[in-house]
Amino acid sequence: MAKILIIDDDPIIRKSVREIMEYENYEVDEIENAKRALEQVKKVEYNAILCDIKMPEMSGIEFLEAFESKDTVPVVMITGHGDVDTAVEALTKGAFDFIQKPMDMNRLLISVRHAIDREHLVTETKRLVKKHGTGKEMVAHWLHEKSNRSGNALVEVNCAAIPSELIESELFGHEKGSFTSAIKQRKGDFELADHGTLFLDEIGDMNLAAQAKMLRALQEGKITRVGGEKEIPVDVRVIAATNKHLQEEIANKRFREDLYHRLSVIIIHVPPLRERIEDIPLLIDYFMNQICESENMPKCEIDNDAVDELKSLP
């Protein structure tokens, strides 16, 4: 059961949000003070946090800045009508989403579900990376390591995990003062990957405006930071991955056809496990060995009937 923390100094809001979350079978804690919440999150592991922005003693923004685990535990900010600029600032500081008061409870539930899904994804991704990754991530790492660019950076970007309004700043960087919270100049991922490799995961989730800039960067080998005018040359190998059917996205006007042709110079199909069931016994053996080693157990075997049953599953 997912565990949620509500931080809000208004007891009525805490009560109403708690009732909705508990009705959806979430385990809920609530606290009225952001300073106390910082101590609470050191003792209890949460899957998501709902945090009001305007609170006495410590604001929600100050909580977010001080919360060290915001990269793995998503924080959804709750904001009053006049605080939208502040909420957008919160996104740049690591918030997952923001909900305006008076709250649309359906919108809140959707945001919480997405936040928890992302939390599970981030946790699982970190676990897999520790074991050298799998699937498309492993392919990207292998291509980089075997290339003549291996001495330079491999920069990974999950396009699905970055809010649409921030993706351009993430990829191309920004100049100081280009938007409210741009307090200093920042290099984007294209610059960081110069002479190396840029791995764009879930590129099918990138918005059309960012796609246009991506196309220009690939065509001209130059980028311009958000709020800047200077063209910056970049020499980057791009590896892109998606779980979406891009031809369908093109037909539905959600993905640029010209960008697709720029990216699809060489297509590598990573087949799902259902298309390579002959790998299942090898994977069973690999994972069983890992489990037994980590638990200090003698090696275990799975009988052939169980292996056949696993191979028959969808």
Side-chain angles (χ1 to χ4, degrees):
M1 183 186 295
K3 195 173 181 70
I4 295 170
L5 176 64
I6 303 166
I7 310 170
D8 199 307
D9 61 319
D10 186 330
I12 296 173
I13 288 178
R14 290 202 309 272
K15 183 175 183 291
S16 59
V17 173
R18 181 188 192 108
E19 287 174 351
I20 291 288
M21 294 297 136
E22 288 181 337
Y23 183 78
E24 293 292 316
N25 293 319
Y26 294 121
E27 189 178 343
V28 181
D29 286 342
E30 58 178 87
I31 200 161
E32 76 287 350
N33 179 288
K35 236 177 198 177
R36 284 184 51 214
L38 279 177
E39 296 302 315
Q40 176 82 351
V41 295
K42 291 175 184 176
K43 298 181 284 187
V44 181
E45 290 186 8
Y46 292 99
N47 301 100
I49 295 172
L50 306 178
C51 183
D52 190 22
I53 286 183
K54 282 196 172 179
M55 290 182 285
E57 196 172 353
M58 175 181 274
S59 72
I61 298 291
E62 290 171 323
F63 168 83
L64 187 67
E65 289 173 335
F67 181 43
E68 295 177 355
S69 301
K70 55 181 170 283
D71 291 336
T72 51
V73 181
V75 182
V76 177
M77 308 303 290
I78 300 170
T79 173
H81 181 70
D83 295 329
V84 174
D85 286 343
T86 310
V88 172
E89 178 190 354
L91 292 177
T92 69
K93 293 184 176 179
F96 175 77
D97 196 3
F98 69 89
I99 306 291
Q100 278 188 266
K101 297 176 185 175
M103 283 183 281
D104 179 332
M105 288 305 176
N106 286 326
R107 166 86 171 81
L108 178 63
L109 283 172
I110 289 169
S111 182
V112 168
R113 285 177 195 141
H114 286 172
I116 290 171
D117 286 345
R118 194 205 73 166
E119 185 264 345
H120 289 324
L121 179 64
V122 168
T123 302
E124 181 65 5
T125 299
K126 288 193 170 184
R127 187 187 69 81
L128 291 172
V129 166
K130 287 179 182 176
K131 300 183 184 299
H132 310 296
T134 185
K136 56 187 188 289
E137 293 88 357
M138 189 173 73
V139 172
H141 278 261
W142 187 83
L143 287 170
H144 176 73
E145 288 165 10
K146 298 295 181 183
S147 75
N148 58 6
R149 294 172 178 261
S150 59
N152 296 303
L154 168 63
V155 178
E156 299 181 55
V157 184
N158 185 343
C159 300
I162 302 170
S164 58
E165 63 269 25
L166 299 180
I167 187 72
E168 291 182 36
S169 172
E170 179 70 28
L171 291 173
F172 309 113
H174 61 250
E175 297 292 349
K176 180 179 178 181
S178 55
F179 49 88
T180 305
S181 58
I183 57 175
K184 62 181 179 179
Q185 185 191 77
R186 179 189 177 279
K187 288 185 177 181
D189 293 323
F190 263 93
E191 286 181 80
L192 296 175
D194 194 29
H195 296 291
T197 303
L198 180 62
F199 175 43
L200 300 171
D201 198 7
E202 303 302 351
I203 195 165
D205 289 272
M206 184 181 289
N207 67 54
L208 289 168
Q211 288 178 35
K213 285 196 172 184
M214 172 68 65
L215 179 64
R216 178 178 177 271
L218 296 177
Q219 286 175 332
E220 301 178 12
K222 298 174 184 175
I223 59 103
T224 304
R225 294 180 187 138
V226 175
E229 297 179 358
K230 178 184 174 185
E231 290 187 329
I232 301 166
V234 287
D235 174 10
V236 175
R237 165 182 280 148
V238 172
I239 302 172
T242 183
N243 63 5
K244 292 188 174 180
H245 195 294
L246 288 187
Q247 296 288 7
E248 290 180 7
E249 296 296 297
I250 291 167
N252 291 318
K253 309 293 185 187
R254 291 191 293 262
F255 200 84
R256 293 180 63 114
E257 187 170 13
D258 46 6
L259 177 58
Y260 172 78
H261 290 303
R262 277 280 169 183
L263 292 170
S264 61
V265 178
I266 299 172
I267 295 177
I268 300 172
H269 174 60
V270 182
L273 192 55
R274 64 179 175 273
E275 292 179 13
R276 47 188 176 93
I277 59 172
E278 68 276 5
D279 287 351
I280 289 176
L282 297 171
L283 290 167
I284 290 170
D285 189 56
Y286 172 75
F287 288 120
M288 287 297 288
N289 284 338
Q290 276 199 334
I291 292 165
C292 291
E293 285 177 16
S294 68
E295 299 296 327
N296 294 316
M297 294 167 56
K299 184 177 177 181
C300 299
E301 301 287 344
I302 294 182
D303 66 40
N304 290 333
D305 288 342
V307 172
D308 289 340
E309 180 66 22
L310 287 168
K311 289 167 73 174
S312 73
L313 295 171

